[in-house]
Amino acid sequence: MSDEPSGVVTYEVRGTTAVVTMNRPEYRNAQNSAMTYALDRAFQQAVDDDAVKVIVLAGAGRHFSAGHDIGTPGRDVDVHYDNTAVLWWDHVGHEGGDLRYAREMEVYLGMCRRWREIPKPVIASVQGACIAGGLMLAFVCDLIVASDDAFFADPVVRMGIPGVEYFAHPWVLGPRAAKEILFTGDRFTAQRAYEWGMVNRVVPRDSLADETFAIADRIAAMPRFGLALTKRAVNQCEDAMGMRTGMDSVFGLHHFAHAHNAEVGADSLGGMDARSMKASADGS
């Protein structure tokens, strides 16, 4: 069934697994605010359903997600929302850094942190592109199962910005791999992500769903409360290694870069848009 009339996210239950699917395939599942809040409602629905043991996050169509929406007709940066992840004022009606900081702290960093704390195991089922904001969503999940045609990248350094808002890179990839993907902006394959420890499994494209649900079924056989405590234990250890405080500091650098771009150039994105970012990635 569809989570909402617009259908930007769909929700279904398959046995003991809730499947939350980003559903803007015509835009490679670019994430606008409508999608962010639809994802949040779907995750909450899965948490509240005692019959659901595991959650799978997927993307409809050829690609998991091309990242934040920076240019589709459905881009909704000026739409009011009810703050859910962060206790702060709304961004609508504000200007400059006040607008950007409020919006990105809520819909990007805050929401990703909120979803990281989902007490049920979450598996990302990734095919095709998983870029920038898409990478953030995969990072939030506990496991990543990727098809052999999947590719990943965080190319926002091309905008002069030091990575996306949920900056988990050094913890998920390790410092040297994190520097390589950020310094170059290059795409990296699912196999390379597996070698770096970012991805749990790489499977044939036509087996992606079956392999993902097989892992979900194995996890679902474990005690629910034990899984929740184990997830919290690992997350707390990551935070003890500096993940949360490091992310806070990088979020400040991220917004310093936005402000610098806006002061010296045409806009906060360094004059880049979806088309020019794709052209840069393709080397054209």
Side-chain angles (χ1 to χ4, degrees):
M1 65 179 178
S2 175
D3 176 73
E4 59 171 38
S6 63
V8 293
V9 167
T10 64
Y11 180 91
E12 62 176 323
V13 176
R14 173 173 164 169
T16 57
T17 299
V19 186
V20 177
T21 305
M22 295 175 281
N23 191 36
R24 300 183 77 205
E26 68 275 27
Y27 301 119
R28 303 200 300 170
N29 295 317
Q31 305 154 26
N32 56 9
S33 296
M35 178 181 283
T36 296
Y37 286 90
L39 283 171
D40 192 66
R41 289 189 293 274
F43 288 141
Q44 186 68 62
Q45 185 172 348
V47 170
D48 291 340
D49 186 346
D50 284 343
V52 168
K53 299 292 187 66
V54 182
I55 303 167
V56 168
L57 175 63
R62 294 177 55 198
H63 301 285
F64 179 74
S65 177
H68 300 327
D69 188 343
I70 61 172
T72 83
R75 191 181 187 211
D76 52 4
V77 294
D78 296 322
V79 174
H80 171 80
Y81 49 72
D82 294 324
N83 282 20
T84 299
V86 178
L87 189 60
W88 199 266
W89 50 74
D90 187 56
H91 70 293
V92 174
H94 297 273
E95 296 179 337
D98 191 357
L99 182 156
R100 287 190 297 271
Y101 188 80
R103 181 172 187 272
E104 294 190 1
M105 184 167 53
E106 166 69 12
V107 300
Y108 299 152
L109 178 60
M111 279 294 187
C112 282
R113 281 180 164 171
R114 173 175 163 84
W115 299 335
R116 178 177 177 252
E117 299 301 320
I118 292 170
K120 299 180 180 182
V122 183
I123 305 173
S125 182
V126 178
Q127 82 284 0
C130 181
I131 307 296
L135 200 65
M136 286 171 42
L137 293 183
F139 282 172
V140 164
C141 297
D142 302 299
L143 279 69
I144 302 174
V145 180
S147 64
D148 51 13
D149 69 343
F151 58 93
F152 305 86
D154 185 357
V156 301
V157 177
R158 292 194 177 100
M159 298 176 173
I161 298 170
V164 287
E165 296 83 358
Y166 184 82
F167 194 82
H169 308 53
W171 293 270
V172 174
L173 287 159
R176 295 195 187 280
K179 288 177 181 177
E180 178 178 336
I181 71 159
L182 291 166
F183 288 177
T184 64
D186 289 346
R187 297 174 178 176
F188 55 102
T189 65
Q191 182 60 36
R192 192 68 189 275
Y194 176 79
E195 293 165 359
W196 280 333
M198 185 190 114
V199 163
N200 296 87
R201 307 278 178 89
V202 180
V203 301
R205 175 67 182 87
D206 58 5
S207 302
L208 178 61
D210 289 343
E211 294 283 350
T212 302
F213 287 118
I215 295 171
D217 288 344
R218 290 193 64 186
I219 294 171
M222 301 293 278
R224 183 181 69 167
F225 191 49
L227 287 169
L229 292 178
T230 303
K231 177 169 179 171
R232 176 152 290 194
V234 175
N235 284 359
Q236 287 177 345
C237 287
E238 282 188 312
D239 288 340
M241 291 187 283
M243 182 170 166
R244 187 176 182 89
T245 53
M247 202 175 287
D248 282 338
S249 67
V250 176
F251 191 63
L253 295 174
H254 181 99
H255 279 277
F256 176 66
H258 272 317
H260 175 76
N261 285 343
E263 185 170 342
V264 304
D267 56 44
S268 65
L269 300 181
M272 302 291 280
D273 57 19
R275 187 183 299 275
S276 59
M277 287 291 284
K278 184 177 186 303
S280 296
D282 294 341
S284 57

